[in-house]
Amino acid sequence: MHLGNLASLTLFLPEIAVTATILLLILVHVAGKNRQSAAPALLSLAGVGTALLLVALQPASPARSLFEGMVALDGFAIFFKALTALATIVVIFMSMESRELASRSQTEYYIFLLSVLLGMFLLAASTDIVMLYLALELVSIPSYLLAGYIKGRESSTEAAMKYVVYGATASGVMIYGFSFLYGLTGTTQMAEIGRALAAGKAPLPVYLASVMVTVGFGFKIAAVPFHMWSPDVYEGAPTPITAYLSVGPKAAGFAVLVRFFYTVFATPDAVAGTWKLSQSVDWPMLFGILSAVTMSVGNLIAINQKNVKRLLAYSSIAHAGYMLMGFVLLTPVGLKAILFYLVVYLFMNLGAFYVVILVANGTNSEEIADYSGLGSRAPFAAISLAIFLFALTGIPPFSGFIGKVYLFAEVINRGVYWLAVVAALNSVVSLYYYARIVKVMFLEDPKETTEMPVQAFPRAVISLLAIPTLLLGIYWEPVARVAANSVRLLAF
Amino acid sequence: MLNFVSSIDFSNPYFSVLILLVIAIAMSVGFVFLSQALGPKRYDRVKYSVYECGVEPFTSASVRISVKFYLIALLFILFDLETAFLYPWAVLFRQLGWFGFIEMAIFILILLAGLVYAWKKGALDWQ
């Protein structure tokens, strides 16, 4: 059911909460004298916390269309809103701890961070291509600013510059694709575009448009061959932002990829929960190749990295490849696997980055060589980093394993064996470079022997990230059920 | 060849457009090469200058422009658009009533926060 503007407002409360927090932060910034006070961080924590609570209270069914068909309120949107809000809260904790950001203006940083969050809320929910583009830019533009937030550092400025150039090109190509879709169908509503494409026959322009749109989404999720920006941006950006970009916008990118392709290029079948591809494009093959190439390139280049942030950047590319496996066949089961993996990935990847921040605070370095002897210098940090890294590899007792099982299972059930074999080989490769960090931490002699005590607060946050990473490897049923329930997309 | 010719749909209404396109491309490209091949070539100082007529260039064209111009331009667009929204609202003011008034007040207050921010940040100072 389409809701009007006024009726939609009561179902738009999380977004309103985030917007109100952003406006409040602007006023705080103008009024406040102390640029380094912790007030903006606490204020944004309260704002995002409220938004998360409001998201949890939102009704998932029946699926509703807000603002005359601009955004959807369905289980899928609610899932991604909760996921991105959770990631933002963890990143705010990280930013409070990070020493890189201590000298910069705090309030503006959180204004940008919350703007990205607002963009991700809208991106996961948008059902109109104009709204989609607007939301994508709302995610992108503050991300450029955040990547270059440490003004004096050359690598940070370089990161922002590269990000802007790549981002502008990708979104330009994408909106050109949108213009084709609009020209072919005469509507900006994704559901109506889908219906028009299913009825008519215009294969060549549709191919062209879908490829162009894939460029824009591929840039957001950093899939090969649109990944070139990510290593430099991830290395140069402040570490909390690197962590944010590798989880938040990536999740939102997957959300929009799934929603767009489902509503535009597939039609809901009579049987509940299954979808039928309406175009003659060989999507499974196309996305299968994209997935295989993405994970292989990410993993193979990660082997040679000496900087932890760069290594995690390539590993993040590889993980986008794994997650694309769930997208290959456009089935609800595969989709559920992506959603589940994103939850698991949020905890393990943010956890790994949190430890990287703590180590950088202690040693002023992000080189893997400087992690030597961390096992004796800061046992808590070293052991938790080892947990996160083994989880990222996908070794059995950890949650990453269960995530991968779901992704592999669907591909194997549908008979795409070659992709499963490629992914399995990639997991073996990834074990090498993740385990190398663990080896440096525990088996190599430390260059310095001074202890690096971890304060109580970071200890608590790391535990909050490590416990789900361990627990979801043993008892994952509730999260898997939530993911399965969230696969329901708005469709009418 | 014969097969190809017989496959062309001459009765298609767009066929004349195709012919027009071919002739247009051939003419525009052809004249470039024709003038190259047939035209007289006499080079002197006037021909080598940037403009054969008009003012002599006296500095480089790439001048550094103060970033403040862009700031002002951005702010101008923002508040110009605000007025663009205000006009239709003003015309329908009586019909929209209090609902329209409150809605517009919220919109202007949000923009006002932005103006205060820009002001305090010194975006309006020309120093």
Side-chain angles (χ1 to χ4, degrees):
Chain A
M1 90 188 124
H2 274 286
L3 288 178
N5 286 342
L6 204 57
S8 305
L9 281 180
T10 50
L11 295 165
F12 204 58
L13 291 175
E15 286 84 353
I16 293 176
V18 176
T19 314
T21 317
I22 293 171
L23 287 173
L24 210 59
L25 279 169
I26 291 178
L27 295 179
V28 166
H29 179 67
V30 170
K33 290 275 175 282
N34 184 4
R35 277 156 48 102
Q36 268 77 52
S37 88
L42 298 175
L43 185 64
S44 20
L45 262 184
V48 181
T50 315
L52 184 58
L53 200 68
L54 291 169
V55 167
L57 294 174
Q58 278 186 322
S61 62
R64 271 172 275 224
S65 178
L66 310 184
F67 298 110
E68 316 280 0
M70 281 293 156
V71 291
L73 183 68
D74 48 18
F76 190 73
I78 291 174
F79 179 87
F80 276 94
K81 282 185 207 174
L83 191 78
T84 49
L86 195 63
T88 311
I89 289 178
V90 177
V91 169
I92 292 173
F93 282 137
M94 279 184 185
S95 315
M96 290 162 80
E97 208 57 47
S98 169
R99 277 207 346 222
E100 285 177 295
L101 294 164
S103 61
R104 303 281 300 131
S105 160
Q106 298 289 298
T107 329
E108 282 173 326
Y109 175 81
Y110 290 109
I111 293 171
F112 298 148
L113 204 65
L114 263 63
S115 304
V116 177
L117 177 65
L118 184 63
M120 294 193 296
F121 274 15
L122 293 173
L123 193 57
S126 52
T127 49
D128 186 288
I129 50 176
V130 177
M131 188 68 222
L132 195 161
Y133 180 72
L134 202 66
L136 196 83
E137 290 297 301
L138 190 55
V139 174
S140 297
I141 292 171
S143 306
Y144 306 152
L145 294 168
L146 287 169
Y149 206 67
I150 304 174
K151 248 192 212 161
R153 199 168 75 187
E154 204 177 315
S155 62
S156 185
T157 314
E158 183 194 331
M161 191 64 208
K162 283 193 174 155
Y163 204 11
V164 169
V165 173
Y166 269 104
T169 312
S171 74
V173 172
M174 189 185 72
I175 201 161
Y176 192 32
F178 281 165
S179 76
F180 278 131
L181 286 179
Y182 178 72
L184 285 169
T185 59
T187 172
T188 57
Q189 289 280 308
M190 271 155 47
E192 281 175 35
I193 293 176
R195 269 196 293 278
L197 290 185
K201 274 198 173 65
L204 188 65
V206 175
Y207 285 155
L208 205 61
S210 57
V211 167
M212 285 175 155
V213 171
T214 310
V215 172
F217 298 157
F219 164 77
K220 267 276 152 272
I221 62 172
V224 176
F226 320 109
H227 69 291
M228 304 287 192
W229 58 277
S230 80
D232 288 329
V233 171
Y234 282 20
E235 189 187 354
T239 316
I241 295 309
T242 308
Y244 198 41
L245 292 180
S246 71
V247 175
K250 187 170 284 219
F254 267 103
V256 73
L257 180 76
V258 167
R259 188 186 287 282
F260 185 84
F261 273 87
Y262 267 64
T263 40
V264 172
F265 295 117
T267 41
D269 224 353
V271 190
T274 60
W275 295 71
K276 195 171 69 208
L277 289 177
S278 48
Q279 285 299 319
S280 49
V281 185
D282 193 4
W283 293 118
M285 199 55 177
L286 183 71
F287 278 101
I289 291 171
L290 207 62
S291 157
V293 172
T294 302
M295 62 178 98
S296 305
V297 168
N299 278 321
L300 291 177
I301 304 182
I303 293 176
N304 234 351
Q305 299 307 316
K306 294 183 174 58
N307 181 302
V308 178
K309 272 164 88 178
R310 234 181 143 74
L311 184 137
L312 286 174
Y314 281 109
S315 110
S316 154
I317 294 172
H319 282 275
Y322 296 139
M323 282 186 263
L324 274 176
M325 274 203 309
F327 185 70
V328 165
L329 295 153
L330 281 174
T331 58
V333 182
L335 209 53
K336 174 192 140 195
I338 297 182
L339 264 54
F340 182 80
Y341 201 83
L342 278 168
V343 176
V344 170
Y345 182 68
L346 177 135
F347 289 114
M348 55 196 187
N349 209 40
L350 288 182
F353 272 111
Y354 201 103
V355 178
V356 170
I357 290 176
L358 291 181
V359 173
N361 282 349
T363 61
N364 271 327
S365 165
E366 280 146 7
E367 299 299 311
I368 294 174
D370 291 318
Y371 279 63
S372 60
L374 201 70
S376 58
R377 292 178 69 192
F380 182 78
I383 290 171
S384 39
L385 183 57
I387 291 174
F388 295 130
L389 290 177
F390 282 131
L392 282 167
T393 322
I395 288 178
F398 303 105
S399 57
F401 173 68
I402 305 299
K404 272 194 183 155
V405 165
Y406 275 122
L407 286 171
F408 277 61
E410 179 59 7
V411 172
I412 292 171
N413 280 344
R414 300 285 170 145
V416 193
Y417 297 113
W418 67 270
L419 188 57
V421 170
V422 170
L425 289 175
N426 266 295
S427 299
V428 177
V429 172
S430 75
L431 177 64
Y432 168 74
Y433 61 82
Y434 289 129
R436 189 165 55 112
I437 301 180
V438 178
K439 179 203 142 211
V440 170
M441 285 195 302
F442 288 101
L443 300 181
E444 286 186 10
D445 290 331
K447 288 179 189 163
E448 293 174 47
T449 46
T450 47
E451 292 221 344
M452 284 199 313
V454 180
Q455 305 295 325
F457 179 69
R459 213 178 262 260
V461 177
I462 288 184
S463 311
L464 280 181
L465 291 168
I467 289 168
T469 306
L470 291 170
L471 198 64
L472 286 177
I474 304 159
Y475 182 61
W476 63 89
E477 198 48 42
V479 178
R481 207 179 316 125
V482 169
N485 286 336
S486 305
V487 174
R488 285 197 219 105
L489 282 166
L490 176 79
F492 52 76
Chain B
M1 188 66 198
L2 250 169
N3 217 339
F4 173 70
V5 172
S6 64
S7 73
I8 298 173
D9 179 13
F10 291 102
S11 61
N12 193 309
Y14 284 101
F15 187 74
S16 49
V17 178
L18 181 72
I19 291 180
L20 179 74
L21 196 73
V22 170
I23 292 175
I25 291 173
M27 273 177 76
S28 51
V29 174
F31 277 121
V32 171
F33 284 105
L34 269 180
S35 64
Q36 189 78 269
L38 302 178
K41 295 174 187 67
R42 282 188 293 273
Y43 295 113
D44 51 40
R45 270 194 68 224
V46 181
K47 275 219 160 159
Y48 273 119
S49 67
V50 179
Y51 296 111
E52 275 191 66
C53 53
V55 187
E56 288 274 318
F58 47 89
T59 54
S60 161
S62 48
V63 191
R64 292 177 67 174
I65 299 170
S66 169
V67 75
K68 293 200 175 69
F69 285 105
Y70 298 101
L71 264 179
I72 297 286
L74 276 174
L75 287 172
F76 169 73
I77 289 174
L78 198 66
F79 292 105
D80 200 36
L81 274 178
E82 180 190 1
T83 28
F85 279 114
L86 278 173
Y87 274 121
W89 169 72
V91 171
L92 292 174
F93 179 71
R94 280 179 205 288
Q95 289 165 51
L96 291 171
W98 280 106
F99 170 67
F101 180 76
I102 293 168
E103 203 174 18
M104 211 49 176
I106 292 172
F107 174 63
I108 290 176
L109 277 177
I110 291 174
L111 274 174
L112 195 69
L115 179 65
V116 171
Y117 174 77
W119 197 336
K120 283 276 176 182
K121 280 300 229 178
L124 302 176
D125 297 337
W126 197 270
Q127 284 305 315

